Amino acid sequence: MAALLEVEHINAGYGFLQVLWDVSLKVEEGEFVCLLGANGAGKTTTLRTIAGFLKPTAGDIRFEGKSIAKTPAYQISQMGISFVSESLNLFTNMSVRENLLLGAYRVLDKKKQLEALDFVFSLFPRLKERERQLAGTMSGGERKMLAIARGMMSMPKLLLVDEPSLGLAPQVVVAVFEALQTLRKEGVTILLVEQNVPSTLRITDRGYVMEYGKIVLEGPSKELMNNEHVRVAYMGI
Amino acid sequence: MEATRVQPSFGERLMLNLRSRPAAWIMIAMTLGFLVIIGIFAGPSQLVNTIVTGGMWALMAVGLALVFGVMNIPHFAHGDSFMIGAYVAYFVFTPIQASLRDNPNPVLSAVGPLIAWAAAALVGFVVGAIMEKLVFYPLRQRTRKGWVMNTFLLTVGISFVLVYGTNLILGPNFRGVPNYWNMPPIVIGSVRLTMERIAAFVVAIVAIVAFWIFLSSTRTGRAIRAVAQDEMGAEMVGINLNFIYTLTFALATAMAALAGASLLFMFPAYPTVGLKPLYFAWYVVMLVGLGNVQGAIVGGFIVAVLQTLTQQFFGVSYEDVVPVVVMILVLLLVPNGIFGSEVKGIQEQ
């Protein structure tokens, strides 16, 4: 059977600047996959292209066997891919609850919305406490959790998470990673982009390593952790 | 499960908004004070007039604030939506009136004006949707560079086309309806209230309240606010931006058309009838802060009070001067407007 998400030989970029060169990757259902690499390697661009905010100039992206390379971003979201961006894109002047309800915008069933709300509150009890607070007035870690929770509100088939550890205190990073692990145990398929290589490899099943807009390495996380190149370049060992 | 309020009410939001804004407090206090002065010196009927116009400016300004907040369009054709509403109401209502003359019908004479107003709002909605799809949608597909300036020029162009198109087809004649209902005015003490004024005020308040409820507690209304705050975030949760843009523009146009229709007894329909409401709606949104919808509601009444005061104490010809002077002073002292502006896009361009 075909994988949940198949990215095949895509090129993409911003205007004349091509960032991705022949990138291919695959995410099977139920898998927790990571995409690693240094700054400017093209990880974020890859996620943006999958989420539909950038269009590939070559190659194809298939989700559940259907091509989504030319589909607008909002339709991709409606098909069941949730994208949690680096800058979070929260609705800062709305309460936590309103942000979450908007996360379930494509869920029309009121009952399912409330179920999803209970689910994310059980994952992040902190958000339950802050239900009526404005999203813009929360701390960085809480906002990150809200963004992930908003992404989960529609019960997506695939969750794309872009650098959740960026700009967070180490303790908060641990909390966010634990939340992702819990999601994984709940059976959510996740594609995670990270720079924090050791911790990411510890919690994921499989990984890709990007350099200069190309995928240079791939394999199960355990093997990558022992890979000479990864150890030297990203873990400083 | 314990019933939790989804979000703060209008009053709470307004209070939250006002807490850190002394300028808004001062203006509101002054407005209330001046309302009392108007009531004492100019008579209660002027007071009623002020409140009616206030409701109308608020109705116009809400649409303007919304279009600017959600789409970043400085809408200078908003007055022409008012004009369209006035014409539609005239052309729907006159045949009704004529048929009533031949065979009187109490039900039709009571609801006739309402039919005309509903028709105006509906036509406004459709015209707004067409305008958005025909003009702003193609521009958005092409480029977002210089968006505010480009759309400003486009709306001015649309305004010219609509004004002179109307002039060409219908001529410059005034088409008015002196009274919608053939009823004697209601007299309370020394105040004479015509049915038209009461209805115009009620329509403005009902439309604003309904719109507020729509924005704050429906799925689509929430989506409109989401687009105003973060477009990419809105797309990420699956909101179709193009649909929201078209809907927003259509709603704003419908509200302006409704204002034009319900004020037909004060402003007869002619090609440039929309200019004055346009200017006053702009005074309102600049005074309260661009894109601020709740501010626009309060601001409508502030500007109406300024207007009545000027008419009473300086004469009608100074009607524009005083609000503009106040606006300049406010912008000098509080550049974001007294309620603060809520605009996402300008800085990004």
Side-chain angles (χ1 to χ4, degrees), chain A residues 74 77-78 89 93 98 105, chain B residues 7 219 225 229-230 238 240:
Chain A
Y74 79 94
S77 158
Q78 285 173 351
N89 295 94
N93 268 332
E98 278 186 294
Y105 178 77
Chain B
Q7 54 149 47
R219 175 173 172 265
R225 286 188 296 137
Q229 286 178 29
D230 195 315
N240 181 353

Side-chain angles (χ1 to χ4, degrees), chain B residues 95-127:
Chain B
I96 294 179
Q97 213 175 19
S99 83
L100 279 173
R101 216 169 289 136
D102 301 332
N103 38 343
N105 176 345
V107 179
L108 189 60
S109 68
V111 298
L114 302 182
I115 294 173
W117 299 356
L122 198 67
V123 170
F125 190 88
V126 174
V127 168

Side-chain angles (χ1 to χ4, degrees), chain A residues 24-221:
Chain A
S24 299
L25 58 87
K26 218 186 251 184
V27 181
E28 303 277 350
E29 203 168 335
E31 238 184 344
F32 191 173
V33 179
C34 65
L35 188 55
L36 306 168
N39 257 342
K43 308 180 302 286
T44 298
T45 309
T46 310
L47 277 203
R48 280 166 161 258
T49 313
I50 297 171
F53 288 96
L54 282 174
K55 296 296 163 208
T57 49
D60 197 13
I61 305 171
R62 277 196 303 276
F63 180 63
E64 294 185 308
K66 269 175 283 181
S67 172
I68 55 168
K70 291 190 174 69
T71 316
Y74 79 94
Q75 277 176 15
I76 291 179
S77 158
Q78 285 173 351
M79 288 169 81
I81 300 183
S82 270
F83 176 37
V84 179
S85 64
E86 202 176 355
S87 51
L88 305 184
N89 295 94
L90 291 173
F91 307 118
T92 46
N93 268 332
M94 291 193 203
S95 66
V96 168
R97 193 189 168 93
E98 278 186 294
N99 266 281
L100 292 174
L101 286 179
L102 272 163
Y105 178 77
R106 53 190 187 258
V107 182
L108 291 171
D109 187 351
K110 273 262 158 63
K111 218 169 130 197
K112 277 201 183 135
Q113 279 186 7
L114 291 180
E115 273 171 29
L117 210 54
D118 283 345
F119 172 66
V120 298
F121 280 153
S122 70
L123 277 182
F124 305 104
R126 190 63 162 277
L127 294 180
K128 173 84 183 157
E129 293 164 26
R130 313 253 152 164
E131 201 175 335
R132 292 196 62 181
Q133 194 175 334
L134 293 186
T137 62
M138 299 205 303
S139 73
E142 287 165 350
R143 277 192 232 189
K144 232 138 278 174
M145 290 183 185
L146 177 57
I148 296 172
R150 189 181 70 178
M152 282 309 300
M153 278 299 288
S154 55
M155 299 289 171
K157 292 169 192 149
L158 173 65
L159 187 65
L160 309 173
V161 188
D162 195 2
E163 303 227 16
S165 73
L166 196 78
L168 291 185
Q171 275 171 319
V172 188
V173 173
V174 171
V176 170
F177 273 43
E178 273 171 4
L180 288 175
Q181 242 172 328
T182 323
L183 283 181
R184 189 262 138 87
K185 277 185 202 127
E186 296 280 339
V188 182
T189 313
I190 305 175
L191 176 57
L192 172 68
V193 158
E194 256 303 333
Q195 289 197 46
N196 189 341
V197 174
S199 343
T200 309
L201 285 178
R202 220 165 288 138
I203 59 169
T204 50
D205 302 327
R206 215 152 54 75
Y208 292 88
V209 179
M210 276 189 102
E211 271 167 27
Y212 305 111
K214 289 176 185 146
I215 301 254
V216 290
L217 264 177
E218 64 168 291
S221 297

Side-chain angles (χ1 to χ4, degrees), chain B residues 104-156:
Chain B
N105 176 345
V107 179
L108 189 60
S109 68
V111 298
L114 302 182
I115 294 173
W117 299 356
L122 198 67
V123 170
F125 190 88
V126 174
V127 168
I130 293 173
M131 221 190 271
E132 206 281 325
K133 278 279 177 250
L134 216 61
V135 181
F136 300 110
Y137 174 74
L139 178 64
R140 203 164 41 239
Q141 298 310 98
R142 182 128 47 105
T143 174
R144 295 294 293 249
K145 262 196 201 121
W147 172 259
V148 176
M149 190 60 187
N150 285 341
T151 50
F152 160 68
L153 294 172
L154 272 176
T155 56
V156 173

Side-chain angles (χ1 to χ4, degrees), chain B residues 127-206:
Chain B
V127 168
I130 293 173
M131 221 190 271
E132 206 281 325
K133 278 279 177 250
L134 216 61
V135 181
F136 300 110
Y137 174 74
L139 178 64
R140 203 164 41 239
Q141 298 310 98
R142 182 128 47 105
T143 174
R144 295 294 293 249
K145 262 196 201 121
W147 172 259
V148 176
M149 190 60 187
N150 285 341
T151 50
F152 160 68
L153 294 172
L154 272 176
T155 56
V156 173
I158 292 172
S159 177
F160 275 117
V161 170
L162 288 176
V163 166
Y164 291 100
T166 316
N167 204 350
L168 189 72
I169 299 165
L170 298 169
N173 306 337
F174 281 46
R175 287 164 213 260
V177 173
N179 43 356
Y180 273 122
W181 285 278
N182 273 324
M183 275 190 228
I186 300 164
V187 181
I188 310 166
S190 59
V191 192
R192 293 175 75 247
L193 280 176
T194 59
M195 193 63 196
E196 283 76 22
R197 272 173 215 283
I198 300 171
F201 179 68
V202 170
V203 160
I205 294 302
V206 167

